[in-house]
Amino acid sequence: MTSRRDFFKLTGAVAAASASPAALAALPELVSMDSPDTQPPLVPPDGRPYNPVVTLNGWTLPWRMKDGVKEFHLVAEPVVREIAPGMKAHLWGYNGQSPGPTIEVVEGDRVRIFVTNRLPEHTSIHWHGQRVPNGMDGVSGLTQPSIKPGKTFVYEFVARRPGTFMYHPHADEMTQMAMGMMGFWVTHPKTKHPLIDEVQRDFCFLLNAYDIDPGSYTPKIMTMTDFNLWSWNSRIFPGIDSLNVRLNDKVRIRIGNLTMTSHPIHLHGHEFLVTGTDGGPVPKGARWHEVTTDVAVGQMRQIEFLADEAGDWAFHCHKSHHTMNAMGHDVPTMIGVDHRGVVKKITNLIPDYMVMGERGMADMAEMEMPLPDNTVPMMTGQGPFGGVEMGGMFSVLKVRKDQKPGDYKDPGWYQHPPGEVAFEWSGAMPEPARFQAEGRQSMPRKLMPRQEVEVQVRKPTGHSSH
Ligand SMILES: [Cu+2]
């Protein structure tokens, strides 16, 4: 086993140590990744050239060219994934990480993928969205026998359609996807394509979710809707790397959803076009500008925009519960509740009792509460102006004039030009003017309740339908 960095230094193929001597000559080397950091793009060393993608907190799997066929070796195995600094999860994935490595090929490439199963149960891989011969579709029981523990299967097909795809098991899916088994697949066009523009930056990541109790390490696989960790590539904010681009770069971001709910992905400061789905490129006449696009379950969306506004722009799922970490859902709304009488009585019984939520939940981000081992605060992340109060599916698009072409390093916080940051008003405050005509049109006075009714907003505590 070797890291991706060392792979191209090696000459010839060294096979996985567990393979039989006869297979040693045939199996491509097992390349594994030990870091959850975003790896630089893998510039193709052979085959047709293309502009490689950057996988957020991920990497691209190197291949071996054998008689004109691109050979990859995926190993399904238990992995330890750092979800965010301070929290590790015991997941299942591929080649050392969850998600598995991104596979990048070119339209027309013949690909051969060796899949070795080191899990305690059988598996298979389905190549989501691709045109393949039926027997290569990876549905265990339907199109192939499952891959038993310790066995290696071979998939072989031509990458016929350029586009944005993913791979995942089609065997005990509930368990294996809840445990993090998935990966990204990009097929680049072989020549200039009328519907696929050239871009300077091309990012990709998968939307996934876990239910891991604070203090524990293994996801609860029976959870259907009430996940507590909403992640991009098995990372949660502030553990998700920023997307760093140069001012006036054309940027493409490819997103796939393997959670059990939809995610309206929202970008600040720019309008984008949805240029592709897992069905292929979107015809030009069917594109319109958006700042939010919903990525439904099992879908891929490919968005493109010109990064022509310098700054640190939030980029996140717009479901506000999905920008939270390790959240308990059985907490009542406490806004406006006066605890003063009851707190003294409770602290007699429970000395460490704390009141929270009377003024909203932002206190949670500032409160220095002791956390159990191996978890992260619910809302966190420090920006240049204080707490960001975000978690989960949140990151930052950093647009900089002086970011070098091809440089993906984090440039640090944006230095705002003088006069371009919202500031506190220090002048006089006028008396509030009251609008006198309440109820005139839709609710004539005579129909109004005799006594004014005042309602308090209270969110339901059940979360049956995210
Ligand atoms: Cu979401």
Side-chain angles (χ1 to χ4, degrees), residues 377-452:
M378 189 168 93
M379 310 188 287
T380 182
Q382 285 292 317
F385 299 101
V388 181
E389 299 175 352
M390 288 281 162
M393 294 177 159
F394 183 93
S395 186
V396 180
L397 171 78
K398 296 191 174 185
V399 183
R400 295 290 187 280
K401 196 164 64 176
D402 43 9
Q403 190 86 4
K404 300 263 184 309
D407 180 6
Y408 286 85
K409 277 199 282 299
D410 184 348
W413 299 118
Y414 183 58
Q415 305 296 315
H416 300 84
E420 290 193 9
V421 177
F423 60 95
E424 183 180 349
W425 171 252
S426 57
M429 291 292 284
E431 278 296 303
R434 297 230 180 271
F435 185 57
Q436 295 300 320
E438 285 99 332
R440 277 280 161 78
Q441 297 301 317
S442 60
M443 204 170 180
R445 276 229 158 250
K446 60 179 170 19
L447 296 180
M448 281 181 78
R450 197 170 296 233
Q451 277 195 320
E452 282 194 17

Side-chain angles (χ1 to χ4, degrees), residues 213-227:
D213 282 335
S216 70
Y217 290 82
T218 307
K220 291 198 269 188
I221 57 169
M222 302 304 282
T223 299
M224 187 176 160
T225 54
D226 222 355
F227 295 90

